[in-house]
Amino acid sequence: MASIWIFLLFMEPVVSATVVEDLANLHPPPDFNTTITSNCLRNPSLRYCGSSPMDLDTIFKFTIVASHLCNESQNPNCVETFPKIDLRNRPKVAPLYLSFTFFWKYCPITVVSIDLSNNSLKGTFPIDVLFCTQMQALDLSHNGLTGDVPIQSLSPLTNLTVLNLSYNHFSEAKISDSRFLKRFDPSCFFQSGIIPSHRRYKIKAMMLLLGFPLLVVFIVGCLWWLCFRRPDYLPGLLRNKHRFTPAMLKVATNGFSKKNIVGKCEGSVTYRGVLRDGTQVRVEIYLDSNNSRGKCHRKYVEECKVLVQLCHKNLVLVYGWCGNRNMRALVTEWIGRVSVDVWLSETGPSWKHRFKVLVGVLKALCYLQDQWPEIGCDMKTSSVLLHENGEPLIARFRVGEDSITKKIHRFGVFVLEMMTDGTLRDEFEGNEAGFVEYVKTVYPGKLQKVIDEKMKLTENTLDQARQTIYVGLMCADHQTCRQLSLGQISNMITKVNSRIR
């Protein structure tokens, strides 16, 4: 090795002073192979002696870098010895030498000390320097190195007694690496990031002590919000599809916007809404909040559980309810804004269409009486909706309040409202008994005075309308309706229906 350096030292005056230029301009002399062979015979421990076949160009570059680096490190006699690599405070030169992997691969076996401190080095640990397995001291302090320290690669370096990694930004060491760290003084790792400081540990412990309860509170809060305010965000298997919360209805109706109000009556307001899944609904909110307390609240929920089971083409589909103690509401399918009274006044439907609506309402009543006798319904023309296919749908229900007599009476009034002129209905608005009595006085001789001319009845259909009004009067009469059943009424309506072509 010494003979190679002597050769290079004699050449230095005629070549460039920079390492990069030397590497580019110099080439191995003709007898370089002989010199390398002689060196390996004298000292087989030289690292390049173990390679077969030898890369002479790489070895030659190594000798050039070694010569420069020996002088840069101010070794006293670079021809004979190369004990240290000292590049501290050399931020422009140190990264250059670290980039020469071939040099570190053939690291001179005489190097026992490497100092790369205070060079503002960036990136990860310079792993190439560990090729110098015989080194006794390594100083990488006062740099900006990051990532993990290669403790698995450092551990076999048994000669390494001095290691200084302080003032860097390495990752914290694992607990399993503590045995290696005990080989060196703790000051070697001061503010290196490897050993967590007590202050940082306390901060982490404090964050854990405070953060964990806060996380628990946050999770519990989220679960409470999902379960009690917005269960529509839960998977279908985890929620009651019939139960709605005030928050859900508020979102569905755009904050109970006045623009979404489709109807008002005593004790309730009806909104049009859109559920989270895009389903359009009709939301009827009851204003008698006092009845939503205690037993009344529980009773209302039980009633709604019955209503969601209704299934008939002339009954609106009940999706569910809001049984909150501060709000009671019923959520049904959205049919539209058109009720029977609006249909009568604005469209002036024919006798045949009106009769179809009467038959549909009667079928719904028969279904309720047969399957759910405890359920009553509101049969006012303003409460019965009209589907786009012309079928009527009863939209308002009540549980346990209507007897069969009341149901028949209300159907009779509904029949009379369907057959009579709109001005007459307006004249007796709110006076149901007076309305029924007046129709009685003109039946049958003066029926033309009350019958709706918009039906444009022929002689045949006039007789059918007269029979239908007769059925309506029988049902509306408080005395007669007690002797009637829905089956008898259905038979009478069927006879009228058989004559309609």
Side-chain angles (χ1 to χ4, degrees):
M1 182 71 176
S3 60
I4 297 175
W5 289 353
I6 293 171
F7 168 77
L8 290 171
L9 288 171
F10 283 132
M11 292 184 64
E12 280 189 6
V14 294
V15 297
S16 171
T18 66
V19 182
V20 176
E21 289 177 349
D22 285 353
L23 291 176
N25 297 327
L26 294 179
H27 300 281
D31 59 345
F32 186 72
N33 186 23
T34 304
T35 303
I36 292 299
T37 303
S38 299
N39 286 344
C40 288
L41 289 174
R42 285 198 308 270
N43 189 0
S45 63
L46 295 173
R47 285 191 169 85
Y48 57 72
C49 294
S51 59
S52 180
M54 290 186 179
D55 186 349
L56 295 179
D57 287 338
T58 302
I59 295 174
F60 184 72
K61 289 194 294 182
F62 155 70
T63 60
I64 294 175
V65 173
S67 176
H68 279 275
L69 188 52
C70 184
N71 287 296
E72 287 280 358
S73 301
Q74 298 181 357
N75 286 280
N77 185 3
C78 286
V79 175
E80 298 296 335
T81 181
F82 187 177
K84 65 177 180 179
I85 297 175
D86 187 356
L87 292 175
R88 64 180 182 274
N89 300 316
R90 304 292 299 276
K92 294 183 179 180
V93 175
L96 175 65
Y97 284 103
L98 283 173
S99 68
F100 295 140
T101 302
F102 58 85
F103 166 78
W104 301 101
K105 181 179 179 182
Y106 299 135
C107 178
I109 59 175
T110 58
V111 173
V112 293
S113 175
I114 300 176
D115 190 346
L116 297 168
S117 62
N118 201 26
N119 282 309
S120 301
L121 296 176
K122 304 296 182 182
T124 58
F125 188 98
I127 194 73
D128 287 346
V129 302
L130 300 186
F131 281 116
C132 301
T133 55
Q134 78 289 344
M135 65 177 167
Q136 301 172 8
L138 174 62
D139 191 344
L140 293 172
S141 61
H142 295 276
N143 284 298
L145 299 174
T146 57
D148 293 328
V149 174
I151 291 178
Q152 298 300 321
S153 299
L154 284 165
S155 296
L157 305 185
T158 55
N159 294 326
L160 185 64
T161 56
V162 177
L163 176 64
N164 192 352
L165 302 178
S166 58
Y167 297 99
N168 278 287
H169 309 292
F170 291 114
S171 302
E172 290 183 7
K174 302 174 184 176
I175 296 176
S176 58
D177 299 329
S178 59
R179 185 175 179 181
F180 169 81
L181 299 178
K182 289 179 180 179
R183 283 174 51 183
F184 308 97
D185 190 273
S187 62
C188 298
F189 308 110
F190 183 71
Q191 294 192 17
S192 64
I194 299 176
I195 301 177
S197 64
H198 292 293
R199 181 181 179 186
R200 188 184 303 175
Y201 177 80
K202 289 180 180 179
I203 292 174
K204 288 185 177 180
M206 188 65 69
M207 290 178 64
L208 182 62
L209 290 174
L210 293 177
F212 182 73
L214 289 175
L215 179 62
V216 172
V217 171
F218 175 75
I219 293 174
V220 171
C222 289
L223 291 175
W224 177 87
W225 184 83
L226 284 172
C227 295
F228 297 101
R229 290 186 62 83
R230 295 302 303 274
D232 50 328
Y233 279 97
L234 292 171
L237 295 175
L238 299 179
R239 65 183 179 91
N240 183 344
K241 66 178 181 178
H242 298 304
R243 187 175 70 86
F244 295 85
T245 64
M248 291 171 62
L249 299 184
K250 184 176 182 179
V251 172
T253 58
N254 195 22
F256 301 112
S257 171
K258 292 182 179 179
K259 295 180 180 179
N260 288 335
I261 294 178
V262 295
K264 283 185 178 182
C265 63
E266 185 178 355
S268 69
V269 180
T270 304
Y271 294 86
R272 178 181 183 176
V274 180
L275 300 181
R276 184 171 174 269
D277 62 1
T279 303
Q280 295 192 65
V281 293
R282 182 183 180 93
V283 182
E284 185 170 7
I285 298 178
Y286 303 104
L287 304 178
D288 51 339
S289 58
N290 290 333
N291 290 332
S292 62
R293 307 286 181 183
K295 293 182 179 180
C296 291
H297 164 74
R298 291 191 291 273
K299 180 183 177 183
Y300 174 72
V301 172
E302 292 302 318
E303 292 174 354
C304 290
K305 289 180 180 179
V306 175
L307 296 180
V308 296
Q309 301 179 63
L310 299 180
C311 183
H312 191 274
K313 70 174 184 177
N314 296 115
L315 300 175
V316 295
L317 182 64
V318 180
Y319 289 134
W321 68 90
C322 173
N324 187 277
R325 295 184 180 275
N326 297 317
M327 176 186 288
R328 289 195 308 157
L330 194 66
V331 182
T332 61
E333 64 177 324
W334 172 258
I335 300 302
R337 295 173 180 265
V338 180
S339 58
V340 170
D341 63 338
V342 172
W343 177 62
L344 291 172
S345 60
E346 295 183 357
T347 308
S350 66
W351 151 250
K352 185 177 181 180
H353 289 168
R354 296 185 194 217
F355 191 81
K356 179 183 178 181
V357 170
L358 291 175
V359 172
V361 171
L362 181 59
K363 287 180 178 179
L365 281 178
C366 292
Y367 164 79
L368 289 175
Q369 186 60 29
D370 182 50
Q371 301 293 328
W372 308 94
E374 72 275 21
I375 298 180
C377 55
D378 189 348
M379 278 180 291
K380 294 179 182 178
T381 53
S382 59
S383 300
V384 178
L385 303 178
L386 204 65
H387 197 277
E388 59 184 11
N389 62 7
E391 287 287 348
L393 291 105
I394 297 175
R396 302 188 71 189
F397 309 94
R398 44 182 169 264
V399 180
E401 295 184 6
D402 282 0
S403 64
I404 182 61
T405 301
K406 287 183 179 180
K407 293 176 183 178
I408 292 175
H409 172 75
R410 278 303 310 148
F411 178 71
V413 176
F414 181 80
V415 171
L416 297 181
E417 290 177 340
M418 288 285 294
M419 306 301 296
T420 55
D421 186 82
T423 56
L424 180 66
R425 296 195 301 270
D426 294 339
E427 182 180 342
F428 284 95
E429 183 178 6
N431 185 7
E432 184 181 283
F435 170 69
V436 174
E437 287 301 319
Y438 181 77
V439 176
K440 279 184 181 180
T441 60
V442 298
Y443 182 86
K446 301 178 181 180
L447 197 58
Q448 293 285 4
K449 293 179 62 177
V450 298
I451 205 163
D452 193 347
E453 295 179 354
K454 295 178 182 178
M455 290 190 291
K456 297 180 180 179
L457 298 172
T458 63
E459 184 176 343
N460 182 47
T461 55
L462 177 61
D463 181 58
Q464 295 166 2
R466 185 180 294 110
Q467 293 180 51
T468 303
I469 291 176
Y470 173 71
V471 173
L473 287 172
M474 289 180 63
C475 294
D477 184 80
H478 288 287
Q479 297 298 325
T480 309
C481 70
R482 295 177 181 176
Q483 281 77 46
L484 292 175
S485 67
L486 286 176
Q488 292 173 320
I489 298 170
S490 181
N491 290 334
M492 289 187 286
I493 292 295
T494 300
K495 289 181 181 179
V496 177
N497 189 31
S498 63
R499 301 181 183 181
I500 299 177
R501 295 177 178 84

